[in-house]
Amino acid sequence: MFVLYPRKALGEEVTSRYSIEGRLRDALRLEQLEIHFQPQVELTHNRVTGAEALVRWPDGEGGFVSNGEFIPVAEDAGIIVQLDSYVLRALCDQALIWRDQMPPGFRLGFNFSAMGFLDAHCAERIIETIRESGLPPHRFELEVTEQAVMTDFSSAIEKLHLLREFGIAIALDDFGTGYSSLAYLQQLPLDRLKVDRTFIREVEQNPKSANIARAIIKLARTIGLDCLVEGVETAGQLEFCRLNGSQHVQGFYLHRPLPAADLMDAIGVAALDRRRKPA
């Protein structure tokens, strides 16, 4: 079925995309993009053990341009690779500020686009950026999607091995939304599976969804990987993850993405909450 759009509406959409692209290029050049951090919580001891770096684009009016609006434009325009590099450099700069504040074992996760991961030298560039920062590589975790890995599987394995040998942890992001081949999964040098939010969304209402989520968590544990469930937004979802053995969770119910200035405070509050619990 073909849908015919009015010529005026189509023209306005194209103009809007060009406008977003131009403004995004300027924002990258002027370093106007911000990095916020969503804490990741380890469930056994209720402690924040890491955070995912998320790019935010201030709109100049006290809010932010929707990621769903500008990320697709960045991908179509071919500047998503530049955005990947910007986020990693900004992350390293911020991590240097936190160097003496981060608890032992605390990791900072960063995403890399499928397009960026296709670059033959992306692993070397990631290593060079982190090495130049002077920070220990074990402080970082690369989050890469199934799509990025499966586009060129043999090359992806080589890159992931190189990064892991350098000391960066590897997480397979949005697990379950792509190929999800167990034959491929066992060949990847992974530390963590991040279960996509679509599998946790309906576990309280839909037994089939609950069974699928339970099976994915069990799969991760069975093959020796840490399991982190994304998108936890209710007390019931959190309890489901706890009862079914997910080691880590991430989501609005626990923490929304925070400005860099607030992340270390969130870790301190979590530690204080643990101390207050009865023995």
Side-chain angles (χ1 to χ4, degrees), residues 164-222:
R164 201 159 181 254
E165 288 167 7
F166 176 61
I168 300 171
I170 307 296
L172 191 61
D173 197 13
D174 299 336
F175 181 72
T177 60
Y179 294 87
S180 302
S181 168
L182 301 186
Y184 288 128
L185 187 61
Q186 65 183 354
Q187 298 178 53
L188 295 172
L190 300 174
D191 298 280
R192 170 180 286 174
L193 285 187
K194 294 192 72 177
V195 182
D196 188 72
R197 65 187 65 246
T198 55
F199 295 101
I200 195 69
R201 189 177 297 152
E202 297 183 2
V203 294
E204 297 173 88
Q205 300 86 22
N206 188 330
K208 185 176 291 187
S209 294
N211 286 335
I212 293 172
R214 194 175 290 116
I216 294 175
I217 294 170
K218 184 176 181 180
L219 168 66
R221 299 296 300 265
T222 300

Side-chain angles (χ1 to χ4, degrees), residues 119-185:
D119 186 290
H121 303 290
C122 77
E124 288 85 353
R125 291 196 179 103
I126 291 171
I127 290 171
E128 180 182 6
T129 301
I130 293 176
R131 183 176 282 145
E132 287 178 351
S133 75
L135 293 160
H138 69 261
R139 286 295 192 184
F140 297 90
E141 178 176 85
L142 169 66
E143 300 187 6
V144 62
T145 64
E146 292 176 79
Q147 178 191 358
V149 169
M150 295 305 301
T151 302
D152 186 346
F153 188 70
S154 59
S155 175
I157 288 181
E158 292 179 11
K159 294 169 186 172
L160 293 177
H161 273 295
L162 185 62
L163 291 164
R164 201 159 181 254
E165 288 167 7
F166 176 61
I168 300 171
I170 307 296
L172 191 61
D173 197 13
D174 299 336
F175 181 72
T177 60
Y179 294 87
S180 302
S181 168
L182 301 186
Y184 288 128
L185 187 61

